[in-house]
Structures are given as structure tokens and as C-alpha cells.
Coordinates of all heavy atoms in Angstrom, one line a residue:
M260 N 0.8 -1.3 0.0 CA 0.1 0.0 0.1 C 0.9 1.2 0.0 O 0.4 2.3 -0.4 CB -0.9 -0.1 1.1 CG -2.0 -1.1 1.0 SD -3.0 -1.4 2.5 CE -3.4 0.2 3.2
R261 N 2.1 1.1 0.5 CA 3.0 2.3 0.6 C 3.5 2.7 -0.8 O 3.6 3.9 -1.2 CB 4.2 2.1 1.5 CG 5.2 3.1 1.5 CD 6.0 3.2 2.9 NE 7.1 3.8 2.9 CZ 7.1 5.2 2.7 NH1 6.2 5.9 2.6 NH2 8.3 5.8 2.8
Y262 N 3.8 1.8 -1.6 CA 4.4 2.0 -3.0 C 3.4 2.0 -4.1 O 2.3 1.2 -4.0 CB 5.4 1.0 -3.3 CG 6.6 1.0 -2.2 CD1 6.6 0.0 -1.2 CD2 7.5 1.9 -2.2 CE1 7.5 0.0 -0.2 CE2 8.5 1.9 -1.2 CZ 8.4 1.0 -0.3 OH 9.5 1.0 0.7
K263 N 3.4 2.8 -5.0 CA 2.5 3.0 -6.1 C 2.7 1.9 -7.2 O 3.2 2.3 -8.3 CB 2.5 4.4 -6.6 CG 2.1 5.5 -5.6 CD 0.8 5.1 -5.1 CE 0.4 6.2 -3.9 NZ -0.8 5.9 -3.2
L264 N 2.6 0.7 -6.9 CA 2.7 -0.4 -7.9 C 1.3 -0.7 -8.4 O 0.4 -0.6 -7.7 CB 3.4 -1.6 -7.3 CG 4.8 -1.4 -6.7 CD1 5.2 -2.7 -6.1 CD2 5.7 -1.1 -7.9
S265 N 1.1 -1.1 -9.6 CA -0.1 -1.6 -10.1 C -0.3 -3.1 -9.5 O 0.6 -3.7 -9.1 CB -0.2 -1.7 -11.6 OG 0.6 -2.8 -12.1
L266 N -1.6 -3.5 -9.5 CA -1.9 -4.8 -8.9 C -1.2 -5.9 -9.8 O -0.7 -6.8 -9.3 CB -3.4 -5.0 -8.9 CG -4.2 -4.1 -8.0 CD1 -5.6 -4.3 -8.0 CD2 -3.7 -4.1 -6.6
R267 N -1.1 -5.7 -11.1 CA -0.4 -6.6 -11.9 C 1.0 -6.7 -11.8 O 1.6 -7.7 -11.8 CB -0.8 -6.3 -13.5 CG -2.2 -6.6 -13.8 CD -2.6 -6.2 -15.1 NE -4.0 -6.7 -15.6 CZ -5.0 -6.1 -15.2 NH1 -5.1 -5.1 -14.3 NH2 -6.3 -6.7 -15.6
E268 N 1.6 -5.5 -11.3 CA 3.0 -5.5 -11.0 C 3.2 -6.3 -9.7 O 4.3 -7.0 -9.6 CB 3.6 -4.1 -10.8 CG 3.7 -3.4 -12.2 CD 4.1 -1.9 -11.9 OE1 3.7 -1.3 -11.0 OE2 4.8 -1.3 -12.8
L269 N 2.4 -6.2 -8.7 CA 2.5 -7.1 -7.6 C 2.3 -8.5 -7.8 O 3.0 -9.2 -7.3 CB 1.3 -6.6 -6.6 CG 1.6 -5.3 -5.9 CD1 0.4 -4.9 -5.1 CD2 2.8 -5.2 -5.0
V270 N 1.4 -8.8 -8.7 CA 1.3 -10.2 -9.2 C 2.6 -10.7 -9.7 O 3.1 -11.9 -9.4 CB 0.1 -10.4 -10.1 CG1 0.2 -11.8 -10.7 CG2 -1.2 -10.2 -9.5
E271 N 3.3 -10.0 -10.5 CA 4.6 -10.4 -11.0 C 5.7 -10.5 -9.9 O 6.4 -11.5 -10.0 CB 5.0 -9.4 -12.0 CG 4.3 -9.4 -13.4 CD 4.8 -8.2 -14.3 OE1 5.9 -7.8 -14.2 OE2 4.1 -8.0 -15.2
M272 N 5.7 -9.7 -8.9 CA 6.5 -9.9 -7.9 C 6.2 -11.1 -7.1 O 7.2 -11.8 -6.7 CB 6.3 -8.6 -7.0 CG 6.9 -7.3 -7.5 SD 6.6 -5.9 -6.5 CE 7.6 -6.4 -5.0
F273 N 5.0 -11.4 -6.8 CA 4.7 -12.7 -6.2 C 5.1 -13.9 -7.0 O 5.6 -14.9 -6.4 CB 3.2 -12.8 -5.8 CG 2.8 -12.0 -4.5 CD1 2.2 -10.9 -4.6 CD2 3.2 -12.6 -3.3 CE1 1.9 -10.2 -3.4 CE2 2.8 -12.0 -2.1 CZ 2.2 -10.7 -2.2
E274 N 4.8 -13.8 -8.3 CA 5.3 -14.9 -9.1 C 6.8 -15.3 -9.2 O 7.2 -16.4 -9.2 CB 4.9 -14.6 -10.6 CG 3.3 -14.9 -10.8 CD 2.9 -14.4 -12.2 OE1 3.7 -13.9 -13.0 OE2 1.7 -14.6 -12.4
T275 N 7.6 -14.3 -8.9 CA 9.0 -14.5 -8.9 C 9.3 -15.2 -7.6 O 10.4 -15.9 -7.5 CB 9.8 -13.1 -8.8 OG1 9.4 -12.3 -7.8 CG2 9.6 -12.3 -10.1
E276 N 8.5 -15.2 -6.6 CA 8.8 -15.9 -5.4 C 8.0 -17.3 -5.4 O 7.9 -18.1 -4.4 CB 8.2 -15.1 -4.2 CG 8.9 -13.9 -3.9 CD 10.4 -14.0 -3.6 OE1 10.7 -15.0 -2.9 OE2 11.2 -13.2 -4.2
G277 N 7.4 -17.5 -6.5 CA 6.7 -18.9 -6.6 C 5.2 -18.8 -6.2 O 4.7 -19.9 -5.9
I278 N 4.7 -17.8 -5.9 CA 3.3 -17.6 -5.4 C 2.4 -17.2 -6.7 O 2.6 -16.1 -7.1 CB 3.2 -16.7 -4.3 CG1 4.1 -17.1 -3.1 CG2 1.8 -16.6 -3.8 CD1 4.3 -16.1 -2.1
A279 N 1.4 -18.0 -7.0 CA 0.5 -17.6 -8.0 C -0.8 -17.0 -7.5 O -1.6 -17.5 -6.6 CB 0.0 -18.9 -8.8
L280 N -1.0 -15.7 -7.8 CA -2.2 -15.0 -7.5 C -2.8 -14.2 -8.7 O -2.1 -14.1 -9.7 CB -1.8 -13.9 -6.4 CG -1.2 -14.3 -5.1 CD1 -0.8 -13.0 -4.4 CD2 -2.3 -15.0 -4.3
S281 N -4.0 -13.7 -8.5 CA -4.6 -12.8 -9.6 C -4.6 -11.4 -9.0 O -4.5 -11.3 -7.8 CB -5.9 -13.3 -9.9 OG -6.9 -12.9 -8.9
H282 N -4.7 -10.5 -9.9 CA -4.6 -9.1 -9.4 C -5.9 -8.8 -8.6 O -6.0 -8.0 -7.7 CB -4.6 -8.1 -10.5 CG -5.7 -8.1 -11.5 ND1 -5.8 -9.0 -12.4 CD2 -6.8 -7.4 -11.6 CE1 -6.9 -8.9 -13.2 NE2 -7.5 -7.9 -12.7
E283 N -7.1 -9.6 -8.8 CA -8.2 -9.4 -8.2 C -8.1 -9.8 -6.7 O -8.7 -9.2 -5.8 CB -9.4 -10.1 -8.8 CG -10.8 -10.0 -8.2 CD -11.3 -8.6 -8.3 OE1 -10.7 -7.7 -9.0 OE2 -12.2 -8.3 -7.5
T284 N -7.4 -10.9 -6.5 CA -7.1 -11.3 -5.1 C -6.4 -10.3 -4.2 O -6.8 -10.0 -3.1 CB -6.2 -12.6 -5.1 OG1 -7.0 -13.6 -5.9 CG2 -5.9 -13.2 -3.7
I285 N -5.4 -9.6 -4.9 CA -4.7 -8.6 -4.2 C -5.6 -7.4 -3.8 O -5.5 -6.8 -2.8 CB -3.4 -8.2 -4.9 CG1 -2.5 -9.3 -5.0 CG2 -2.7 -6.9 -4.4 CD1 -1.3 -9.1 -5.9
R286 N -6.5 -7.0 -4.8 CA -7.4 -5.9 -4.6 C -8.3 -6.3 -3.4 O -8.6 -5.4 -2.6 CB -8.3 -5.7 -5.9 CG -9.1 -4.4 -5.8 CD -10.1 -4.3 -6.9 NE -11.1 -5.3 -6.8 CZ -12.1 -5.3 -5.9 NH1 -12.3 -4.4 -5.1 NH2 -13.0 -6.3 -5.9
L287 N -8.8 -7.5 -3.4 CA -9.7 -7.9 -2.3 C -8.9 -7.8 -0.9 O -9.5 -7.4 0.1 CB -10.2 -9.3 -2.5 CG -11.3 -9.4 -3.6 CD1 -11.7 -10.8 -3.9 CD2 -12.5 -8.6 -3.4
W288 N -7.6 -8.2 -0.9 CA -6.8 -8.2 0.3 C -6.8 -6.7 0.8 O -6.8 -6.4 2.0 CB -5.4 -8.8 0.1 CG -5.4 -10.2 0.0 CD1 -6.4 -11.2 0.3 CD2 -4.2 -11.0 -0.3 NE1 -6.0 -12.5 0.1 CE2 -4.7 -12.4 -0.3 CE3 -3.0 -10.6 -0.7 CZ2 -3.8 -13.4 -0.6 CZ3 -2.1 -11.8 -1.1 CH2 -2.5 -13.1 -0.9
E289 N -6.4 -5.9 -0.2 CA -6.3 -4.4 0.2 C -7.6 -3.9 0.8 O -7.5 -3.2 1.8 CB -6.0 -3.6 -1.1 CG -5.8 -2.2 -0.9 CD -5.4 -1.4 -2.1 OE1 -5.5 -2.0 -3.3 OE2 -5.0 -0.3 -1.9
A290 N -8.8 -4.2 0.2 CA -10.0 -3.8 0.7 C -10.3 -4.3 2.0 O -10.9 -3.7 2.9 CB -11.1 -4.1 -0.3
K291 N -9.9 -5.6 2.3 CA -10.2 -6.2 3.6 C -9.2 -5.7 4.7 O -9.7 -5.5 5.8 CB -10.1 -7.7 3.5 CG -10.6 -8.5 4.7 CD -10.7 -9.9 4.5 CE -11.0 -10.7 5.8 NZ -11.2 -12.2 5.6
F292 N -8.0 -5.9 4.4 CA -6.9 -5.6 5.4 C -6.3 -4.2 5.5 O -5.9 -3.8 6.4 CB -5.7 -6.6 5.2 CG -6.2 -8.0 5.4 CD1 -6.1 -8.9 4.3 CD2 -6.6 -8.5 6.7 CE1 -6.6 -10.1 4.4 CE2 -7.0 -9.8 6.8 CZ -7.0 -10.7 5.6
G293 N -6.5 -3.3 4.4 CA -6.1 -2.0 4.5 C -6.6 -1.2 5.6 O -5.8 -0.5 6.4
P294 N -7.9 -1.3 5.9 CA -8.5 -0.4 7.1 C -7.9 -0.9 8.4 O -7.8 -0.1 9.3 CB -10.0 -0.6 6.9 CG -10.2 -1.0 5.5 CD -8.9 -1.6 5.1
L295 N -7.7 -2.2 8.5 CA -7.2 -2.9 9.8 C -5.8 -2.3 10.0 O -5.3 -2.0 11.1 CB -7.2 -4.4 9.7 CG -8.6 -4.9 9.5 CD1 -8.5 -6.5 9.3 CD2 -9.4 -4.7 10.8
V296 N -4.9 -2.4 8.9 CA -3.5 -1.8 9.1 C -3.6 -0.4 9.4 O -2.8 0.0 10.3 CB -2.7 -2.0 7.8 CG1 -1.5 -1.4 7.8 CG2 -2.6 -3.6 7.5
E297 N -4.4 0.3 8.7 CA -4.5 1.8 9.1 C -4.9 2.1 10.5 O -4.3 2.9 11.2 CB -5.6 2.5 8.1 CG -5.7 4.0 8.4 CD -6.8 4.6 7.6 OE1 -7.7 3.8 7.0 OE2 -6.9 5.8 7.4
K298 N -5.9 1.3 11.0 CA -6.3 1.5 12.3 C -5.2 1.1 13.4 O -5.0 1.9 14.4 CB -7.5 0.6 12.6 CG -8.1 0.7 14.1 CD -9.2 -0.3 14.1 CE -9.9 -0.2 15.5 NZ -11.0 -1.1 15.8
E299 N -4.5 0.1 13.1 CA -3.3 -0.3 13.9 C -2.2 0.8 14.1 O -1.7 1.1 15.1 CB -2.8 -1.7 13.5 CG -1.7 -2.1 14.4 CD -2.1 -2.6 15.8 OE1 -3.3 -2.9 16.0 OE2 -1.3 -2.5 16.8
L300 N -1.9 1.3 12.8 CA -0.8 2.2 12.7 C -1.3 3.6 13.4 O -0.5 4.2 14.1 CB -0.4 2.6 11.3 CG 0.1 1.4 10.6 CD1 0.4 1.8 9.1 CD2 1.6 1.2 11.1
K301 N -2.5 3.9 13.3 CA -3.0 5.1 14.0 C -2.9 5.0 15.5 O -2.7 5.9 16.3 CB -4.4 5.5 13.5 CG -4.3 6.2 12.1 CD -5.7 6.6 11.8 CE -5.8 7.4 10.4 NZ -6.9 7.8 10.0
S302 N -3.3 3.8 16.0 CA -3.3 3.5 17.4 C -1.9 3.5 18.0 O -1.8 4.0 19.1 CB -4.1 2.3 17.8 OG -3.3 1.2 17.4
E303 N -0.9 3.1 17.3 CA 0.4 3.1 17.9 C 1.0 4.6 17.9 O 1.7 4.9 18.7 CB 1.3 2.4 16.9 CG 1.1 0.8 17.0 CD 2.0 0.1 16.1 OE1 3.0 0.7 15.4 OE2 1.8 -1.1 16.0
R304 N 0.4 5.4 16.9 CA 1.0 6.8 16.8 C 0.2 7.9 17.7 O 0.7 8.8 18.0 CB 0.7 7.3 15.3 CG 1.4 8.5 15.0 CD 1.1 8.9 13.6 NE -0.2 9.0 13.3 CZ -0.7 8.9 12.0 NH1 0.1 8.7 11.0 NH2 -2.0 9.0 11.9
K305 N -0.8 7.3 18.2 CA -1.8 8.2 19.0 C -1.0 8.8 20.2 O -0.4 8.0 20.9 CB -3.0 7.5 19.5 CG -4.0 8.4 20.1 CD -5.2 7.6 20.4 CE -6.3 8.6 21.0 NZ -7.6 7.9 21.1
G306 N -1.1 10.1 20.4 CA -0.5 10.7 21.7 C 1.0 10.9 21.6 O 1.6 11.4 22.5
T307 N 1.7 10.7 20.3 CA 3.1 10.9 20.4 C 3.6 12.1 19.7 O 4.7 12.5 19.5 CB 3.8 9.7 19.6 OG1 3.3 9.7 18.2 CG2 3.6 8.4 20.2
V308 N 2.6 13.1 19.4 CA 2.9 14.4 18.7 C 3.3 15.3 19.8 O 2.6 15.4 20.8 CB 1.6 14.8 17.9 CG1 1.9 16.2 17.4 CG2 1.3 13.9 16.9
S309 N 4.4 15.9 19.5 CA 4.9 16.9 20.6 C 4.2 18.3 20.3 O 4.1 18.7 19.1 CB 6.4 17.0 20.4 OG 6.9 18.0 21.2
S310 N 4.0 19.1 21.2 CA 3.5 20.5 21.0 C 4.6 21.5 20.9 O 4.5 22.6 20.6 CB 2.5 20.9 22.2 OG 3.2 20.8 23.4
S311 N 5.8 21.0 21.2 CA 7.0 21.9 21.1 C 7.9 21.6 19.8 O 8.3 20.5 19.6 CB 7.9 21.6 22.4 OG 9.0 22.3 22.3
W312 N 8.0 22.6 19.0 CA 8.8 22.4 17.8 C 9.8 23.5 17.8 O 9.5 24.6 17.1 CB 7.9 22.5 16.6 CG 7.0 21.3 16.4 CD1 5.9 21.0 17.2 CD2 7.2 20.3 15.5 NE1 5.3 19.9 16.7 CE2 6.1 19.4 15.7 CE3 8.2 19.9 14.6 CZ2 6.1 18.1 15.0 CZ3 8.1 18.8 13.9 CH2 7.0 18.0 14.0
P313 N 11.0 23.4 18.3 CA 12.0 24.4 18.2 C 12.4 24.6 16.7 O 12.5 23.7 16.0 CB 13.2 23.9 19.0 CG 12.7 22.8 19.8 CD 11.4 22.3 19.2
A314 N 12.6 25.8 16.4 CA 13.1 26.1 15.0 C 14.5 26.4 15.0 O 15.1 27.1 15.9 CB 12.2 27.4 14.4
D315 N 15.3 26.1 13.9 CA 16.6 26.3 13.7 C 16.9 27.0 12.5 O 16.1 26.8 11.5 CB 17.4 24.9 13.7 CG 18.8 25.1 13.7 OD1 19.3 26.1 14.2 OD2 19.6 24.2 13.2
E316 N 17.8 27.9 12.5 CA 18.0 28.7 11.3 C 19.6 28.8 11.1 O 20.3 28.9 12.0 CB 17.5 30.1 11.5 CG 17.9 31.2 10.7 CD 17.5 32.6 11.2 OE1 16.2 32.7 11.3 OE2 18.2 33.5 11.3
T317 N 20.0 28.7 9.9 CA 21.4 28.9 9.5 C 21.6 29.5 8.1 O 20.6 29.4 7.3 CB 22.1 27.5 9.6 OG1 23.6 27.7 9.5 CG2 21.6 26.5 8.6
L318 N 22.7 29.9 7.9 CA 23.0 30.6 6.6 C 23.8 29.6 5.8 O 24.7 28.9 6.3 CB 23.8 31.8 6.7 CG 23.0 33.1 7.0 CD1 24.0 34.3 7.3 CD2 22.2 33.5 5.7
I319 N 23.5 29.3 4.5 CA 24.2 28.5 3.7 C 24.5 29.2 2.4 O 23.8 30.1 2.0 CB 23.5 27.1 3.4 CG1 22.2 27.4 2.7 CG2 23.4 26.3 4.7 CD1 21.5 26.1 2.2
K320 N 25.6 28.9 1.7 CA 26.1 29.5 0.5 C 25.7 28.6 -0.7 O 26.2 27.4 -0.7 CB 27.5 29.8 0.5 CG 28.0 30.9 -0.4 CD 29.4 31.2 -0.2 CE 29.8 32.5 -0.7 NZ 31.2 32.9 -0.5
I321 N 25.0 29.1 -1.6 CA 24.5 28.4 -2.8 C 25.0 29.2 -4.0 O 24.4 30.3 -4.1 CB 23.0 28.1 -2.8 CG1 22.7 27.2 -1.6 CG2 22.7 27.3 -4.1 CD1 21.2 27.0 -1.5
K322 N 25.8 28.8 -4.9 CA 26.2 29.5 -6.0 C 26.7 30.9 -5.6 O 26.3 31.8 -6.3 CB 25.3 29.5 -7.2 CG 25.0 28.0 -7.6 CD 24.1 28.1 -8.9 CE 23.8 26.8 -9.3 NZ 22.9 26.7 -10.5
K323 N 27.5 31.0 -4.6 CA 28.1 32.3 -4.1 C 27.1 33.3 -3.7 O 27.3 34.5 -3.4 CB 28.8 33.0 -5.3 CG 30.0 32.3 -5.9 CD 30.7 33.0 -7.0 CE 31.8 32.1 -7.6 NZ 32.6 32.8 -8.5
E324 N 25.8 32.7 -3.3 CA 24.8 33.6 -2.7 C 24.5 33.0 -1.4 O 24.3 31.7 -1.3 CB 23.6 33.8 -3.6 CG 23.7 34.6 -4.8 CD 22.4 34.8 -5.5 OE1 21.3 34.8 -4.8 OE2 22.4 34.9 -6.7
W325 N 24.3 33.9 -0.4 CA 23.8 33.4 1.0 C 22.4 33.3 1.1 O 21.6 34.1 0.6 CB 24.3 34.3 2.1 CG 25.8 34.3 2.2 CD1 26.7 35.1 1.6 CD2 26.5 33.3 2.9 NE1 28.0 34.7 2.0 CE2 27.9 33.6 2.7 CE3 26.2 32.1 3.6 CZ2 29.0 32.9 3.3 CZ3 27.2 31.4 4.2 CH2 28.6 31.8 4.0
H326 N 21.8 32.1 1.6 CA 20.4 31.9 1.8 C 20.2 31.3 3.2 O 21.0 30.7 3.8 CB 20.0 30.7 0.7 CG 20.1 31.2 -0.6 ND1 19.2 31.8 -1.3 CD2 21.1 30.9 -1.5 CE1 19.5 32.0 -2.5 NE2 20.8 31.6 -2.7
Y327 N 19.0 31.5 3.8 CA 18.7 31.1 5.0 C 18.1 29.7 4.9 O 17.2 29.4 3.9 CB 17.7 32.0 5.7 CG 18.2 33.2 6.3 CD1 18.1 34.4 5.8 CD2 18.9 33.2 7.5 CE1 18.7 35.6 6.2 CE2 19.4 34.2 8.1 CZ 19.3 35.5 7.5 OH 19.9 36.6 8.1
L328 N 18.5 28.8 5.8 CA 18.0 27.4 5.8 C 17.2 27.3 7.1 O 17.8 27.5 8.2 CB 18.9 26.4 5.6 CG 18.5 24.9 5.9 CD1 17.6 24.5 4.7 CD2 19.7 24.0 5.9
Y329 N 15.9 27.0 7.1 CA 15.1 26.8 8.4 C 14.7 25.4 8.5 O 14.5 24.7 7.4 CB 13.8 27.7 8.2 CG 14.2 29.2 8.1 CD1 14.1 29.8 6.9 CD2 14.3 29.9 9.3 CE1 14.3 31.2 6.8 CE2 14.5 31.3 9.1 CZ 14.6 32.0 7.9 OH 14.8 33.2 7.8
R330 N 14.6 25.0 9.7 CA 14.0 23.6 10.0 C 13.5 23.6 11.3 O 13.8 24.3 12.2 CB 15.2 22.5 9.9 CG 16.3 22.7 11.0 CD 17.3 21.6 10.8 NE 18.3 21.8 11.8 CZ 19.2 21.0 12.1 NH1 19.1 19.7 11.6 NH2 20.1 21.1 13.1
A331 N 12.4 22.7 11.5 CA 11.7 22.6 12.7 C 12.1 21.2 13.3 O 12.0 20.2 12.6 CB 10.2 22.7 12.6
I332 N 12.3 21.1 14.6 CA 12.7 19.8 15.2 C 11.8 19.6 16.2 O 11.6 20.3 17.2 CB 14.1 19.9 15.8 CG1 15.1 20.5 14.6 CG2 14.6 18.6 16.3 CD1 16.4 21.0 15.1
D333 N 11.2 18.3 16.3 CA 10.3 17.9 17.3 C 11.1 17.4 18.6 O 12.2 17.4 18.6 CB 9.2 16.8 16.9 CG 9.9 15.5 16.5 OD1 11.0 15.3 16.7 OD2 9.1 14.6 16.0
S334 N 10.3 16.9 19.6 CA 11.0 16.5 20.9 C 11.8 15.3 20.8 O 12.7 14.9 21.6 CB 10.0 16.3 21.9 OG 9.0 15.4 21.6
R335 N 11.5 14.5 19.6 CA 12.4 13.3 19.4 C 13.5 13.5 18.4 O 14.0 12.6 17.8 CB 11.5 12.2 19.0 CG 10.5 11.8 20.0 CD 9.7 10.7 19.5 NE 8.8 11.2 18.4 CZ 8.0 10.5 17.7 NH1 7.8 9.2 18.0 NH2 7.3 11.0 16.8
A336 N 13.8 14.8 18.2 CA 14.9 15.2 17.3 C 14.6 14.8 15.7 O 15.6 14.5 15.0 CB 16.3 14.7 17.7
N337 N 13.4 14.7 15.3 CA 13.0 14.5 13.9 C 12.7 15.7 13.4 O 12.1 16.6 13.8 CB 11.9 13.5 13.9 CG 12.2 12.1 14.4 OD1 13.4 11.6 14.2 ND2 11.3 11.4 15.0

């Protein structure tokens, strides 16, 4: 679900591993299990957002011109 592959490309990937499927089977799996995966990922992420985002600013030189580079950093240094 993360990568933008067509269902037929996924069938080819499974075939290289010796698994025979149809693209319709993969579509049905996505419809059935996609919401479950989404729900699980959201529950793990719940409550981990920081309200503090320190901003950092620096000057960098690009083609002999100075430019400001800004970035925001959360409490986990991301």
C-alpha cells in the first residue's frame, strides 16, 4: 500500500517468489486488510505528537549567494 505499484506488478513480484495470485485477489486483500492496518498504525501513533517544535536557522552559501535554511525539530529530534 505504501508503494504505487499496479496490482499486476504486484502479481509479477509474487510470481518471482513462486506464489500464483490474480490481481483481483490482491485488490480484495487491500479492501479487507487496508483499514485494519491503518487502524493499527494510528493507534500506535496516538499521543506521540509533541506540542514543542524548536526552530533552527542557519546561513548556507549556494552558488556564491547566501540563503537562510530553516528547519523545525520535534521533541524526538526528527
Side-chain angles (χ1 to χ4, degrees):
M260 291 169 45
R261 175 155 165 66
Y262 301 102
K263 299 299 179 192
L264 298 172
S265 73
L266 298 179
R267 286 175 172 76
E268 288 173 326
L269 287 171
V270 168
E271 288 179 20
M272 289 174 63
F273 278 106
E274 285 176 353
T275 62
E276 299 297 321
I278 302 170
L280 297 170
S281 73
H282 65 280
E283 183 63 15
T284 302
I285 296 173
R286 189 191 67 76
L287 292 172
W288 286 351
E289 181 182 10
K291 182 175 182 177
F292 296 111
L295 298 174
V296 171
E297 178 186 17
K298 183 179 176 183
E299 183 66 27
L300 290 173
K301 282 184 177 181
S302 71
E303 288 177 9
R304 190 177 60 195
K305 188 174 185 177
T307 61
V308 176
S309 173
S310 61
S311 174
W312 288 78
D315 185 24
E316 165 188 306
T317 189
L318 276 170
I319 59 172
K320 200 173 200 177
I321 302 173
K322 295 185 180 180
K323 298 181 182 180
E324 287 188 34
W325 289 99
H326 299 273
Y327 282 101
L328 173 68
Y329 298 96
R330 63 183 179 158
I332 305 165
D333 69 3
S334 62
R335 295 180 296 181
N337 292 326

